[in-house]
Amino acid sequence: MATIVQYPARSGRRSELVLLILAIAIGVGGYLSIMVSHPEAPQVWYWYCAAIAGGGIVAHVAIRFLAPYADPVIMPVALAINGIGLAMISRLDLYYQHRADTTGSNAIRNAMLTQVNNERQVVFMIGSLVVVILTLLAFRDHRSLRKFAWPALIVAVLLMLSTKIPGLGQTVNGADISLRILGLTLQPNEFAKILLAIFFAGYLEYRRDSLAIAGKKVGFLQLPRWRDLLPILVVWAAVMGLLVLQKDLGVALLLFAIFVAVLYVATDRPSWIIFGVVLMIPMAVMAYLSFTHVQERVTNWLHALDPNVASPDRIGGSWQLVNALFGMAYGGLTGTGWGLGRPGQTPLANSDFIVSSIAEEIGLTGMLAVMLLYLILVLRGLRAAMGVRDGFGKLLATALAFGIGAQLFIVAGGVTRLIPSTGLTAPFLAAGGVSCVANWLAVALLLRISDSARRPVPSNGANGFRLTSGGSAGDAGEPLDYAATERVVMPQ
């Protein structure tokens, strides 16, 4: 007969501190490598290193008090990825500044200087860590977000519609996804994704029972009832409207993929995934037939190495993609070394194509290590989803973690020519202040959910439980799943 033995629960903060030191070493090491290869660079790198180290330590201390049982891996991994991105952006800034100083054209010089943004990115990183602390302080229980599901939807829609405001909306690469405010370019869709994740989680938790009821069975496919199919059709129509409004296939596909993934988790019905894939096909076809820039991206994908398509004189051609492919090939397995490659020759090397820039200088091996960091981050987010004891937390953590993984797949797939390029940027790596803040906000929510998932279930003052077989000392097992311990009635 199994017995329950009390044991002191471990918060994991010591492990987080060790991992945090490694994460800081990765970011600082990237800066030092660049400064060694560019001794002529401005000697302000130590401020950047201090910002990474100080910001990480302050966030760690805050988590100790605000979310003591949060997953100890999530924050250090996110900081490590962010540090690598900051180092690469700094390295590209040196290239842009050199081009600006050596060119004789004021137009080219101004264009180069507008891409110098490492100082801004460091400031946004520090601001993002402040947002993490404020989020953990404001929301002591993630379930309090459930009541904001419908307001989150309304605000998300307003944010996406704001890109059509005359004088504020800005068209970038054929898509209306940016705002120009006080000289800064903002992409409200970054925050809209977080808000929609909250709405999806709240709505599907409420509707999960009716959506899980099966309809007719055709072969191996379990069809949903028609009235239960309505929600996914409504979301599909909304995404199509967003696609038409903003002319951006990447964001539309990402949002719809997140919704289908959360719908599958809520109902455990694989048929929803099949329906999602089927509905994505006409969405992509419509985008191709309706928008010229989507047709150009498909042409660049299929005929990237065609001399006519890859000509630098062709507007909207595959010159950018070809430069990225040759840059990664030039880096090979081990890379050219930090600061020793030529990634700046690829347009938008610090944002849309920062993955190719990093792969060129640290090689395929180094880029695989970065991908593994992303994989760890996504898996820890999904682990929090599995461990948390309420449906809303499970769905919200799934949406946030899957969103990070899906966005990385879309970005890396476009850079490596696996799929057409969509214009999305790699989370935590690419330049972009709003993107940095939004991604760290997602991390803050994952920390809060994981804190709830790993927090011991109190009973008679105990901090936690350990299951043993027959009560023998030699049969100690792993800690109980906390979702299961809720169903155990302890004696009072």
Side-chain angles (χ1 to χ4, degrees):
M1 179 179 178
T3 61
I4 293 180
V5 180
Q6 300 175 359
Y7 75 99
R10 288 186 249 179
S11 65
R13 301 281 65 83
R14 292 182 181 178
S15 300
E16 183 182 73
L17 181 59
V18 173
L19 294 174
L20 179 64
I21 294 173
L22 294 176
I24 292 172
I26 290 174
V28 171
Y31 270 112
L32 293 179
S33 299
I34 293 171
M35 294 307 124
V36 168
S37 59
H38 290 79
E40 77 285 356
Q43 297 301 309
V44 294
W45 55 268
Y46 46 85
W47 289 110
Y48 302 153
C49 296
I52 295 175
I57 292 173
V58 170
H60 167 73
V61 173
I63 292 173
R64 277 182 174 267
F65 292 97
L66 300 177
Y69 291 96
D71 192 303
V73 178
I74 292 178
M75 196 275 286
V77 170
L79 186 67
I81 299 173
N82 206 165
I84 294 172
L86 290 174
M88 177 50 65
I89 293 172
S90 178
R91 182 266 176 278
L92 290 168
D93 280 357
L94 295 175
Y95 169 82
Y96 296 137
Q97 289 173 341
H98 176 73
R99 284 285 306 275
D101 293 338
T102 57
T103 184
S105 169
N106 289 332
I108 296 178
R109 183 177 186 277
N110 293 335
M112 289 293 109
L113 288 177
T114 56
Q115 301 184 71
V116 177
N117 53 20
N118 183 65
E119 293 182 3
R120 295 198 302 269
Q121 197 68 21
V122 171
V123 171
F124 275 113
M125 187 270 289
I126 296 299
S128 299
L129 294 177
V130 173
V131 169
V132 170
I133 297 173
L134 293 178
T135 302
L136 295 177
L137 186 63
F139 299 100
R140 296 302 183 95
D141 189 341
H142 65 273
R143 290 172 295 184
S144 62
L145 290 169
R146 189 178 349 181
K147 60 186 177 183
F148 298 111
W150 286 102
L153 173 64
I154 295 173
V155 175
V157 172
L158 292 177
L159 285 175
M160 291 185 288
L161 290 175
S162 66
T163 60
K164 304 300 292 185
I165 298 177
L168 293 180
Q170 192 175 31
T171 301
V172 179
N173 297 325
D176 300 327
I177 57 174
S178 299
L179 294 175
R180 189 73 175 177
I181 301 176
L182 300 177
L184 297 176
T185 300
L186 309 176
Q187 292 189 342
N189 284 347
E190 295 291 341
F191 289 114
K193 290 185 295 187
I194 307 294
L195 295 172
L196 287 175
I198 295 174
F199 169 73
F200 292 159
Y203 176 79
L204 292 176
E205 184 203 20
Y206 175 73
R207 294 280 298 175
R208 64 186 302 174
D209 291 336
S210 60
L211 291 172
I213 297 175
K216 296 181 179 180
K217 188 173 184 179
V218 179
F220 67 93
L221 185 62
Q222 193 78 48
L223 298 177
R225 298 179 303 177
W226 279 107
R227 63 176 177 270
D228 297 328
L229 187 60
L230 182 61
I232 193 173
L233 293 177
V234 171
V235 173
W236 178 79
V239 170
M240 292 293 289
L242 171 64
L243 175 62
V244 173
L245 180 68
Q246 296 188 328
K247 306 175 186 176
D248 187 68
L249 179 62
V251 172
L253 289 177
L254 177 61
L255 292 178
F256 190 67
I258 292 174
F259 177 75
V260 172
V262 177
L263 183 59
Y264 166 69
V265 172
T267 62
D268 196 26
R269 295 288 180 187
S271 56
W272 287 113
I273 298 179
I274 298 176
F275 278 110
V277 173
V278 170
L279 289 174
M280 278 186 181
I281 295 175
M283 185 189 308
V285 172
M286 176 183 173
Y288 177 80
L289 296 177
S290 302
F291 306 124
T292 304
H293 71 282
V294 176
Q295 296 174 7
E296 291 176 347
R297 289 177 177 177
V298 173
T299 301
N300 296 341
W301 172 52
L302 296 175
H303 310 285
L305 301 179
D306 188 316
N308 295 324
V309 178
S311 171
D313 299 327
R314 178 187 172 115
I315 299 177
S318 62
W319 172 254
Q320 181 185 32
L321 177 59
V322 169
N323 268 275
L325 292 173
F326 275 95
M328 291 186 288
Y330 180 63
L333 284 176
T334 58
T336 61
W338 280 111
L340 300 178
R342 293 178 290 179
Q345 294 185 0
T346 302
L348 300 177
N350 59 359
S351 55
D352 291 18
F353 278 75
I354 195 169
V355 170
S356 65
S357 302
I358 294 176
E360 179 177 345
E361 300 213 330
I362 65 177
L364 176 62
T365 305
M367 195 63 228
L368 286 177
V370 175
M371 294 295 178
L372 283 176
L373 289 176
Y374 275 109
L375 179 61
I376 292 172
L377 180 60
V378 173
L379 289 178
R380 301 302 287 205
L382 294 178
R383 180 175 179 177
M386 294 174 62
V388 74
R389 293 177 287 273
D390 65 286
F392 176 76
K394 289 181 183 294
L395 298 180
L396 180 57
T398 299
L400 296 173
F402 180 82
I404 293 174
Q407 185 167 341
L408 178 67
F409 171 79
I410 294 173
V411 172
V415 171
T416 57
R417 206 185 162 199
L418 178 65
I419 59 176
S421 176
T422 60
L424 294 178
T425 57
F428 301 105
L429 280 181
V434 173
S435 175
C436 183
V437 174
N439 290 319
W440 275 105
L441 178 59
V443 166
L445 295 177
L446 288 176
L447 288 172
R448 174 54 68 205
I449 295 172
S450 67
D451 175 69
S452 177
R454 300 176 74 248
R455 186 179 295 274
V457 178
S459 177
N460 295 335
N463 290 324
F465 314 99
R466 182 177 292 274
L467 183 66
T468 62
S469 176
S472 65
D475 294 328
E478 292 300 318
L480 280 172
D481 177 74
Y482 292 130
T485 60
E486 276 198 327
R487 296 190 291 271
V488 178
V489 180
M490 302 298 298
Q492 299 299 320

